[in-house]
């Protein structure tokens, strides 16, 4: 059985970041990465549409944490030690030039995830990190000092064990056998399916809205995009991430309420429409959108209120006016199912955050065992935040491992 100072299970983003930082901070330590697949860093390769959105230009820890539906509270401390600015510096010190796009997402200037992969592989080689592929870890046992790790074909021992297995649930059985609590996985970050007539003919329309889910506390605002299958855009993605568990319980069948205006209630909007009616009596309603709404959307909301295509404001009756206020402030759409957002499968669930000491990413119960990256019940909205979680955990765990091993 070969012995190492540190064995890392999982050759993904978090595994490599931990390994490289351990070996950089203490080059004397022997480090092994065990990866089940034929290739390491597979998710990095496909990330960000092949461009790898490494992090996000948000440099205030207390603001950064707001992008994590699960992990907001726990990441506050870690982000004060290692966050977005540190990530940028880390890559730039290793020759990876980064750029910030208008929406805050940060990519390699090369626009290729291969740049990040090459950086990791070159660093690993330079530092003498051993990488063993096609080594599915099936068991790990605590020893008096350190750990014994079993793959399908081999056995290794380590002073320190790092679990960086991402959202693969197979390893959870071993973790729960050792008394670690895990939270069942559910999808996060998805778009909503709806066959509603009001949106069937207007895909591509984008509007700033307020959205909520009937009979829940879920509520947010932001840009919404009407798609061929329903709704997408940042407002919907946020609802899906914060509502991952609630929407799963509803089996993705629920009523979405959209406020297309800045009015905070129906009661505030209704008298305003009365004034519009009086001031613009000769205008054709359908042809003169209010609140800068796109013409095609306005037409659909007007028709859904029972107002005819050529009807003038003067001829709009009370019932129609009330219906229009309802359509504008609380349009209800039945949602029936979800779709994946740009192939980005983000999963909520993983090791319960109460199991981790976020000062060093060590298990509270298992000595010399660290857990980093997506294996934890932490996930974020799209924009580079999920990788930031992997980098932060990897760096802090590496610091703790090397401090302990001096
Ligand atoms: C299509 C797509 C695009 C994405 N784009 C972005 C983006 O641009 N920016 C962003 O911030 N986030 C993005 N994400 C999310 C991001 O990829 C993950 O948050 C991140 O990869 C998590 O890193 P990790 O190391 O924890 O897990 P992973 O990268 O999943 O790595 C875990 C590794 O462990 C291995 N493993 C699992 N079990 C075992 C075992 N028993 N034995 C040995 N090895 C094992 C796996 O094979 C894998 O290689 C994207 C996700 C997807 C799916």
């Amino acid at each position: 059985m070969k012995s190492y100072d540190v064995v890392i299970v999982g050759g993904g983003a978090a595994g490599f970041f931990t390994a490289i930082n351990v070996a950089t901070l203490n080059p004397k330590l022997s480090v092994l990465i065990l990866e089940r697949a034929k290739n390491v860093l597979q998710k990095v390769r496909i990330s960000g549409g092949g461009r790898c959105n490494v992090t996000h230009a948000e440099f205030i820890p207390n603001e950064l944490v707001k992008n994590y539906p699960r992990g907001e509270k726990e990441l506050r401390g870690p982000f004060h030690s290692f966050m977005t600015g540190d990530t940028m510096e880390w890559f730039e010190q290793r020759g990876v030039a980064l750029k910030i796009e208008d929406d805050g997402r940060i990519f390699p200037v090369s626009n290729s995830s291969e740049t990040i992969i090459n950086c990791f592989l070159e660093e690993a080689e330079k530092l003498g990190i051993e990488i063993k592929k096609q080594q599915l870890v099936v068991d790990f046992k605590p020893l008096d000092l350190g750990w014994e790790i079993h793959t399908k074909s081999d056995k290794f021992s380590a002073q320190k064990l790092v679990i960086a297995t991402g959202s693969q649930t197979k390893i959870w059985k071993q973790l729960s056998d050792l008394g670690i609590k895990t939270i069942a996985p559910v999808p996060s970050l998805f778009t909503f399916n709806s066959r509603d007539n009001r949106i069937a003919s207007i895909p591509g329309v984008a509007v700033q809205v307020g959205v909520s889910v009937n009979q829940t506390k879920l509520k947010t605002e932001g840009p919404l995009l009407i798609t061929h299958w329903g709704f997408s855009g940042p407002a919907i993605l946020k609802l899906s991430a914060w509502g991952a568990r609630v929407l799963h319980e509803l089996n993705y069948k629920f009523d979405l309420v959209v406020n297309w205006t800045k009015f905070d209630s129906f009661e505030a909007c209704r008298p305003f429409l009365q004034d519009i009616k009086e001031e613009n009596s000769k205008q054709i309603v359908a042809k003169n959108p209010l609140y800068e709404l796109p013409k095609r959307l306005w037409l659909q909301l007007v028709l859904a209120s029972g107002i005819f295509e050529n009807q003038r404001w003067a001829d709009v009756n009370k019932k129609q006016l009330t219906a229009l206020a309802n359509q504008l402030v609380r349009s209800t759409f039945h949602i029936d199912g979800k779709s994946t957002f740009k192939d980005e499968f983000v999963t909520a669930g993983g090791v319960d955050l109460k199991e981790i000491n976020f000062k060093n990413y060590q298990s509270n119960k298992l000595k010399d065992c660290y857990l980093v990256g997506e294996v934890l019940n932490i996930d974020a909205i799209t924009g580079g935040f999920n990788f930031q979680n992997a980098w932060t955990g990897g760096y802090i765990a590496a610091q703790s491992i090397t401090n302990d091993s001096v």
Side-chain angles (χ1 to χ4, degrees):
M1 181 162 60
K2 202 165 171 203
S3 300
Y4 292 83
D5 293 310
V6 185
V7 168
I8 294 173
V9 185
F16 265 83
F17 209 73
T18 313
I20 293 168
N21 283 301
V22 166
T24 305
L25 292 167
N26 186 347
K28 285 189 195 143
L29 297 181
S30 54
V31 182
L32 168 69
I33 296 177
L34 292 171
E35 167 57 48
R36 68 197 271 274
K38 271 191 193 148
N39 291 309
V40 291
L41 297 164
Q42 295 201 85
K43 259 200 193 172
V44 173
R45 178 164 284 112
I46 56 168
S47 67
R51 295 200 298 143
C52 188
N53 176 194
V54 283
T55 187
H56 199 97
E58 173 54 76
F59 303 106
I60 304 166
N62 288 353
E63 289 301 313
L64 184 61
V65 292
K66 290 184 185 158
N67 296 289
Y68 296 82
R70 283 148 291 274
E72 176 171 351
K73 189 174 84 199
E74 293 78 4
L75 285 172
R76 199 161 286 142
F79 281 159
H80 278 90
S81 298
F82 191 93
M83 62 172 259
T84 48
D86 307 295
T87 301
M88 292 183 78
E89 202 182 315
W90 194 96
F91 280 108
E92 284 176 343
Q93 275 173 355
R94 287 161 178 82
V96 177
L98 299 173
K99 58 168 174 174
I100 302 178
E101 301 207 331
D102 290 347
D103 59 5
R105 291 181 303 160
I106 299 177
F107 292 91
V109 168
S110 65
N111 271 331
S112 169
S113 54
E114 291 301 326
T115 307
I116 304 297
I117 294 176
N118 290 341
C119 166
F120 283 163
L121 293 179
E122 280 164 22
E123 284 293 309
E125 193 178 348
K126 203 167 74 191
L127 295 161
I129 294 167
E130 258 191 74
I131 301 165
K132 290 190 189 287
K133 299 176 203 168
Q134 293 184 287
Q135 289 277 4
L136 174 72
V137 171
V138 288
D139 202 6
F140 37 91
K141 292 178 184 143
L143 303 171
D144 286 342
L145 216 93
W147 288 85
E148 187 174 294
I149 301 119
H150 293 227
T151 69
K152 272 199 157 170
S153 51
D154 259 313
K155 257 194 228 171
F156 305 92
S157 72
Q159 302 289 320
K160 309 271 184 198
L161 173 68
V162 180
I163 307 290
T165 44
S167 49
Q168 296 277 337
T169 54
K170 279 196 183 145
I171 206 100
W172 295 14
K173 164 116 185 36
Q174 277 78 46
L175 288 169
S176 47
D177 286 350
L178 292 167
I180 301 287
K181 190 177 164 202
T182 52
I183 311 276
V186 294
S188 179
L189 220 56
F190 46 83
T191 64
F192 297 170
N193 300 349
S194 174
R195 291 182 177 277
D196 195 284
N197 278 338
R198 285 167 292 177
I199 56 166
S201 62
I202 57 169
V205 165
V207 197
Q208 182 76 22
V209 297
V211 277
S212 57
V213 174
N214 244 355
Q215 290 170 348
T216 73
K217 288 184 183 155
L218 293 171
K219 193 176 174 178
T220 188
E221 49 190 38
L224 170 143
L225 174 68
I226 295 172
T227 65
H228 286 284
W229 63 91
F231 298 101
S232 181
I236 297 302
L237 294 171
K238 263 196 249 169
L239 267 193
S240 78
W242 266 266
R245 225 152 263 289
V246 173
L247 300 181
H248 177 76
E249 276 159 23
L250 294 172
N251 199 20
Y252 309 105
K253 294 186 200 315
F254 55 89
D255 286 335
L256 177 75
V257 182
V258 184
N259 182 351
W260 307 98
T261 73
K262 296 260 180 305
F263 292 111
D264 53 14
S265 68
F266 165 84
E267 288 71 23
C269 178
R270 178 65 175 78
F272 185 82
L273 288 184
Q274 186 66 42
D275 293 346
I276 296 276
K277 170 181 153 76
E278 281 154 25
E279 286 160 18
N280 303 287
S281 57
K282 289 198 179 128
Q283 277 186 6
I284 292 178
V285 181
K287 293 206 169 131
N288 295 281
L290 294 176
Y291 319 115
E292 295 169 16
L293 286 179
K295 272 191 181 154
R296 292 193 296 155
L297 171 65
W298 172 254
L299 173 64
Q300 292 304 320
L301 298 177
V302 166
L303 294 177
S305 312
I307 298 170
F308 307 111
E309 211 162 338
N310 290 320
Q311 199 169 336
R312 292 177 194 281
W313 276 107
D315 304 323
V316 173
N317 62 34
K318 270 190 187 165
K319 196 175 156 201
Q320 289 171 322
L321 215 55
T322 299
L324 183 58
N326 266 318
Q327 286 295 331
L328 286 169
V329 178
R330 49 191 190 199
S331 280
T332 303
F333 295 87
H334 186 64
I335 303 301
D336 190 2
K338 61 173 176 53
S339 297
T340 306
F341 171 69
K342 288 191 187 169
D343 295 334
E344 208 167 304
F345 312 101
V346 174
T347 318
V351 170
D352 190 335
L353 303 185
K354 291 196 190 83
E355 299 283 356
I356 305 297
N357 174 357
F358 279 90
K359 290 207 168 81
N360 53 21
Y361 282 77
Q362 268 204 67
S363 155
N364 286 324
K365 289 184 189 134
L366 308 175
K367 193 167 167 351
D368 296 325
C369 175
Y370 296 76
L371 295 110
V372 292
E374 218 173 73
V375 69
L376 300 175
N377 183 25
I378 294 180
D379 58 270
I381 54 164
T382 186
F385 305 104
N386 282 302
F387 276 140
Q388 187 55 54
N389 166 47
W391 315 141
T392 296
Y395 189 83
I396 294 175
Q399 258 186 335
S400 167
I401 289 169
T402 47
N403 286 344
D404 265 18
S405 309
V406 174

